[in-house]
Amino acid sequence: MNTSVVITGIGIVSPLGNTLKTFTEATYLGVPAIQPIEHFDTSGFSSSLAGQVLGFSADEHLNGRMLAQTDRVTRFALMASDQVIADTGLDLSELDEHAVGVVTSNATGGFDYTHREMQKLWTRGPDS
């Protein structure tokens, strides 16, 4: 069994940029990642600042079925994974599909999807 790991590509979706290039440039320039929240009204909250991923449009990268079955952070992971694959310069059709993988991470998980599906379970029952 081969247990070697080779890191061949990098992808990133973050408050500092949605590509490795934009992230690196923003980091070198000291661009602040924390900004006023834009996605909802913060007047009822004690904080109005957050690190937000801006300029991301999932429908440019995923088909309708994937959009319906994923939440925002999963879409980030899929986009970053596509960047990793592109960064490798490999032709995946030439490789064993079981010998290639992408490792992703995030800080919060897929809360939107989980909450939406739990709401369906508790309000409409398990058949929904």
Side-chain angles (χ1 to χ4, degrees), residues 4 8-9 11 14 20 22 34 47-48 74 84 93 96 99-100 112-113 118 122:
S4 299
T8 60
S14 82
L20 181 59
T22 57
I34 307 301
S47 177
S48 61
T74 301
V84 168
S93 67
D96 175 2
V100 178
D112 291 341
Y113 180 80
M118 288 303 289
W122 291 110

Side-chain angles (χ1 to χ4, degrees), residues 13-97:
V13 177
S14 82
L16 285 179
N18 297 335
T19 66
L20 181 59
K21 182 178 190 253
T22 57
F23 173 84
T24 303
E25 288 173 357
T27 301
Y28 284 138
L29 293 173
V31 173
I34 307 301
Q35 303 286 338
I37 295 173
E38 297 181 4
H39 295 285
F40 59 88
D41 179 13
T42 61
S43 59
F45 299 93
S46 60
S47 177
S48 61
L49 303 173
Q52 305 166 90
V53 174
L54 303 174
F56 176 81
S57 177
D59 53 353
E60 293 176 10
H61 306 280
L62 302 172
N63 64 39
R65 180 175 179 194
M66 288 298 291
L67 289 172
Q69 295 177 339
T70 58
D71 57 30
R72 189 166 164 83
V73 295
T74 301
R75 294 170 192 156
F76 293 163
L78 291 169
M79 180 176 164
S81 297
D82 283 346
Q83 292 174 22
V84 168
I85 293 167
D87 193 39
T88 67
L90 296 173
D91 180 356
L92 294 182
S93 67
E94 297 176 1
L95 301 173
D96 175 2
E97 66 183 24

